[in-house]
Amino acid sequence: MPKTNEERIVEIRSSKWIGYSTADTILEKLEDLMDHPQVHRMPALLIYGGTNNGKTTIVNELLRRHPVKRDKHDESTQLPIVMVEMPPEANQDSIYMTILRSLYVPFQPNAKKEEKANQVFGVMRRLKVKMLIIDELHNLLDTNRLRQNQVINTIKYLSNTLKIPIVAVGTLEAKNVFSSDDQLANRFKPVEIPKWKIDLEYRKLLASFEKLMALKKPSNLDSKELAIEIMSMSEGWIGEISDILKLASIEAIKSGTERITLDLLRNLDWQSPTERRA
């Protein structure tokens, strides 16, 4: 039975994974880290790039590939990856509390940070956590230099004590914070997600998006005319490209045209990232 327009629109709005060479390379690095044997100095990765350029999407795809595992025989639970966001105005205490909250572990907010740290270590070992991901690392910039150093030392302590790889995710500014600490700069191998440019890889990306949108008529998004317009509207950020094409596809369904055209793109209720910042 054919899907209704409403059902198709819901599908378009839902998140879907689209692989591309940079993302596949980063996922391969992350998989290698998960399989890394425990050593005194565990390796780590720093994924950085502009806002809305697919960083969180990549780590969410890794999470999807490594879900929670439950053993029915001994009723144990294994959580391969723990992912948290760097809290605003972060300090040592808030890092531990953020991890405990993400694991739904009750704790005493007024307890000493050493007690919270021991809780974190105990729970993560019991759950056999193999990787800790810290997203929104640039929130570290919201605090003063003293607290930044405290948080940096906490991240080192977590990695050394748990002997698991840590992945940090943030903007270029966050990379500069890590670069200021020699130990972190040596341990966290930086991997950049660059802005897109009009090339063969970009056109392949647009063709992949078109398949997912499943409109009734071909749009030929990878054609020169449409590729240039979408690049101009998105300014090369993949999150913006995704939002534009979702919005355009929904408009194509509602209007009955069933294809994305140059006129449709130019008449969208859309502002570029630069226009929104202004």
Side-chain angles (χ1 to χ4, degrees):
M1 183 176 177
K3 294 177 181 177
T4 65
N5 286 353
E6 289 74 18
E7 289 172 331
R8 293 166 65 205
I9 288 171
V10 169
E11 278 196 5
I12 287 170
R13 284 177 173 153
S14 63
S15 297
K16 296 185 180 70
W17 170 252
I18 294 180
Y20 53 95
S21 59
T22 300
D24 292 339
T25 299
I26 292 174
L27 280 169
E28 187 176 335
K29 290 178 183 294
L30 292 170
E31 294 284 2
D32 287 344
L33 279 181
M34 289 196 68
D35 292 332
H36 199 284
Q38 287 190 338
V39 293
H40 173 67
R41 187 183 176 89
M42 291 298 291
L45 197 68
L46 170 61
I47 304 170
Y48 72 96
T51 302
N52 207 9
N53 204 30
K55 302 182 296 296
T56 303
T57 301
I58 291 173
V59 292
N60 279 334
E61 174 61 16
L62 184 74
L63 285 167
R64 188 192 67 79
R65 297 181 184 186
H66 296 276
V68 177
K69 300 176 183 177
R70 291 185 173 86
D71 192 316
K72 294 180 181 179
H73 300 291
D74 59 10
E75 297 184 350
S76 65
T77 300
Q78 183 177 347
L79 182 62
I81 304 169
V82 172
M83 180 173 168
V84 298
E85 284 190 10
M86 178 68 71
E89 300 183 0
N91 56 33
Q92 290 171 294
D93 211 39
S94 65
I95 293 292
Y96 296 129
M97 289 193 290
T98 298
I99 294 173
L100 291 170
R101 286 192 186 103
S102 75
L103 296 171
Y104 301 99
V105 175
F107 63 91
Q108 292 294 329
N110 296 326
K112 294 180 180 179
K113 64 178 179 291
E114 291 81 8
E115 294 177 31
K116 295 180 189 125
N118 288 333
Q119 267 192 284
V120 168
F121 300 146
V123 172
M124 291 181 75
R125 284 171 178 146
R126 187 168 68 248
L127 293 174
K128 299 178 182 177
V129 175
K130 298 176 70 177
M131 176 180 285
L132 172 64
I133 299 176
I134 304 174
D135 198 6
E136 305 292 339
L137 185 69
H138 41 270
N139 285 343
L140 193 55
L141 299 169
D142 294 338
T143 189
N144 60 44
R145 188 63 190 173
L146 175 61
R147 284 192 174 184
Q148 286 179 15
N149 288 334
Q150 289 175 344
V151 171
I152 286 171
N153 287 332
T154 302
I155 291 171
K156 291 181 197 172
Y157 185 46
L158 283 165
S159 180
N160 292 337
T161 304
L162 291 168
K163 288 188 170 45
I164 60 173
I166 294 181
V167 176
V169 184
T171 60
L172 175 60
E173 291 76 15
K175 175 181 179 287
N176 294 337
V177 173
F178 266 39
S179 299
S180 65
D181 183 281
D182 289 341
Q183 288 188 36
L184 282 181
N186 290 331
R187 185 177 301 192
F188 281 80
K189 303 302 181 187
V191 179
E192 183 182 11
I193 304 179
K195 288 176 69 172
W196 286 80
K197 57 185 179 181
I198 298 178
D199 56 12
L200 181 59
E201 184 76 9
Y202 170 62
R203 293 194 175 189
K204 286 180 179 178
L205 179 76
L206 293 180
S208 298
F209 267 113
E210 182 165 352
K211 290 178 183 177
L212 281 180
M213 299 313 173
L215 296 174
K216 294 179 181 178
K217 297 178 183 178
S219 300
N220 299 318
L221 294 178
D222 56 341
S223 65
K224 182 178 179 181
E225 191 177 51
L226 291 181
I228 291 173
E229 184 66 23
I230 294 165
M231 177 62 70
S232 175
M233 294 170 69
S234 67
E235 298 181 356
W237 303 118
I238 191 170
E240 304 288 334
I241 294 169
S242 175
D243 290 344
I244 290 165
L245 294 180
K246 286 180 180 180
L247 188 63
S249 298
I250 291 168
E251 182 58 33
I253 291 173
K254 288 180 176 179
S255 66
T257 60
E258 290 292 340
R259 62 192 290 259
I260 297 171
T261 64
L262 194 60
D263 284 341
L264 187 150
L265 287 171
R266 288 175 175 171
N267 287 304
L268 283 179
D269 182 15
W270 179 262
Q271 286 185 313
S272 69
T274 298
E275 289 170 335
R276 292 199 295 272
R277 285 194 295 271

